[in-house]
Amino acid sequence: MNRVQSKTSRYLLAALMCWATPAAFADSPSSNSPPHVDPQQNADSQALMDELVEQGMPQAWLEEALGRASYTQSVLDAMEGAAERRLRWHEYRDIFITQQRIEEGVAFIDAHADALARAESTYGVPAEVITAIIGVETYYGRHKGQHRVLDSLATLAFYHPSRGAFFRGELAAFLRIAYEQQVDPTQLQGSYAGAMGYPQFIPTSYQAYAVDFDDDGLRDLWENPVDAIGSVANYFAEHGWKLGGAIYHQASGPAVLPEDLSFNQITPPEMSVAQLAAHGLTPNEPLDNELLVMPLALEFADGETRYRLGEYNFYVITRYNHSHLYAMAVAELAEAIAELHHELHEDEA
């Protein structure tokens, strides 16, 4: 799509070529010896360093950076317990749709009104959706992660049992970002999976979609909310956000889920409203029979399952986090923020 993405693709290809299978892991953890990520003690770390040196990065800088990385078992443990994998909708919703998070979302919109308006004008993504993403990801920048990104990515790159190749590419991208922006890689913190800054971009997304939205010469997602606002909007635009399109619709359906329908799939909508109606699933508002939607079934605290229909913009949100629960939480938080913002400011209109 652009020069940065082309570079990222080459890094990932190189990672796949040199990281064939999980069985190829060198220096895997054992009871007899502690795990290592230092290139002098880990052959895979050495191979990654050699590749980056060939691509023009200084060997001394890489040796120091990787030599200061630490294996972190808690990172591997956290990967197995992601909330999207273990919670039902009402449990997941209760984490993110709170009155305080809604009110602070309104405050974020007010504090960054100019940047959000410019992002909406430039990329077509509503201010409340951008705000909700940042609200869900980091509570508007309050919680950006407490793990050293270097440690998280090195651990996952060299010791994750199935996704080592993916995280190896992320580690390569992270090292390049730190070097190019002249920041100490050991001082940058993020999530256990290596996501960074206000919007929690993984390194390859940082390379591909981060923008310098305030024109200060830096793409700073760690400390600059304006860059984060523009970058989230750019991410959605690049993934096909439809200007003015809805995210989802309420729907009605049978008490028991139809067995011949697949619910909560994170793929582009491919069933029409008319096709779903033939299975007893109908929107609660008039919609074009040919509109393509995805059927969603959500479990509530009262034990009932309720239906919704996701449009293409719902799918776009899942490109940020591949979970229907995540996308619905963002959508509902955005709605609540927009509603409260309107209530508080309607006298000004």
Side-chain angles (χ1 to χ4, degrees):
M1 184 177 299
N2 56 40
R3 181 168 59 86
V4 172
Q5 287 172 288
S6 176
K7 289 182 178 179
T8 302
S9 298
R10 292 200 296 271
Y11 301 156
L12 291 175
L13 178 59
L16 289 170
M17 292 172 64
C18 295
W19 202 260
T21 67
F25 288 3
D27 302 316
S28 58
S30 71
S31 59
N32 297 323
S33 61
H36 298 292
V37 294
D38 188 323
Q40 294 186 1
Q41 298 174 293
N42 184 305
D44 298 302
S45 180
Q46 178 70 47
L48 176 62
M49 184 182 71
D50 291 344
E51 291 171 19
L52 293 175
V53 169
E54 289 180 5
Q55 296 165 10
M57 293 186 66
Q59 181 168 331
W61 188 93
L62 289 165
E63 284 181 340
E64 181 178 3
L66 288 169
R68 294 167 69 189
S70 299
Y71 171 86
T72 308
Q73 179 61 43
S74 62
V75 166
L76 293 173
D77 296 339
M79 288 291 290
E80 298 302 315
E84 291 87 354
R85 299 178 185 175
R86 56 184 171 80
L87 299 182
R88 292 178 293 177
W89 164 240
H90 70 91
E91 296 168 324
Y92 191 87
R93 183 187 190 279
D94 287 347
I95 297 173
F96 299 107
I97 314 301
T98 65
Q99 189 61 31
Q100 182 177 357
R101 202 177 298 247
I102 294 166
E103 291 174 356
E104 292 194 22
V106 172
F108 186 89
I109 286 182
D110 289 341
H112 304 289
D114 291 344
L116 286 162
R118 186 158 53 88
E120 186 166 352
S121 174
T122 302
Y123 299 106
V125 184
E128 65 269 18
V129 173
I130 301 170
T131 300
I133 286 286
I134 296 174
V136 167
E137 290 292 341
T138 59
Y139 218 131
Y140 313 107
R142 184 186 304 171
H143 305 304
K144 299 174 190 172
Q146 297 180 332
H147 296 267
R148 290 205 315 175
V149 176
L150 179 64
D151 295 343
S152 295
L153 291 177
T155 299
L156 294 167
F158 304 131
Y159 294 105
H160 194 279
S162 61
R163 301 184 66 197
F166 170 81
F167 285 109
R168 192 174 185 275
E170 295 302 325
L171 176 58
F174 170 73
L175 291 168
R176 185 168 289 280
I177 290 168
Y179 175 70
E180 290 177 347
Q181 297 196 184
Q182 299 182 8
V183 294
D184 183 349
T186 67
Q187 298 302 309
L188 299 174
Q189 293 188 313
S191 77
Y192 62 81
M196 308 179 294
Y198 276 86
Q200 293 291 276
F201 274 13
I202 59 174
T204 52
S205 290
Y206 199 119
Q207 287 183 317
Y209 306 112
V211 297
D212 174 16
F213 207 52
D214 64 355
D215 295 322
D216 68 350
L218 293 174
R219 300 186 300 168
D220 178 11
L221 302 188
W222 284 282
E223 304 296 338
N224 190 332
V226 174
D227 283 357
I229 286 167
S231 299
V232 170
N234 181 48
Y235 187 99
F236 278 177
E238 292 288 352
H239 283 82
W241 182 269
K242 295 184 181 299
L243 176 64
I247 298 175
Y248 75 95
H249 306 276
Q250 301 283 353
S252 300
V256 179
L257 266 65
E259 294 183 357
D260 49 356
L261 286 179
S262 295
F263 290 88
N264 305 329
Q265 301 299 302
I266 53 172
T267 55
E270 58 183 17
M271 295 195 72
S272 70
V273 169
Q275 286 174 313
L276 290 176
H279 293 272
L281 195 61
T282 58
N284 292 355
E285 61 186 286
L287 294 177
D288 185 341
N289 280 333
E290 300 305 312
L291 176 67
L292 296 181
V293 293
M294 61 176 72
L296 305 167
L298 304 172
E299 296 179 76
F300 281 76
D302 58 9
E304 290 189 10
T305 296
R306 299 169 196 169
Y307 299 100
R308 295 178 183 176
L309 306 177
E311 285 203 31
Y312 192 83
N313 283 345
F314 186 91
Y315 168 73
V316 172
I317 297 175
T318 69
R319 300 305 84 204
Y320 207 99
N321 181 315
H322 295 182
S323 164
H324 74 284
L325 298 179
Y326 176 89
M328 188 56 66
V330 168
E332 285 203 3
L333 181 59
E335 288 176 335
I337 290 171
E339 181 178 354
L340 181 58
H341 189 270
H342 176 74
E343 290 175 3
L344 295 176
H345 295 277
E346 59 182 343
D347 292 338
E348 302 171 7

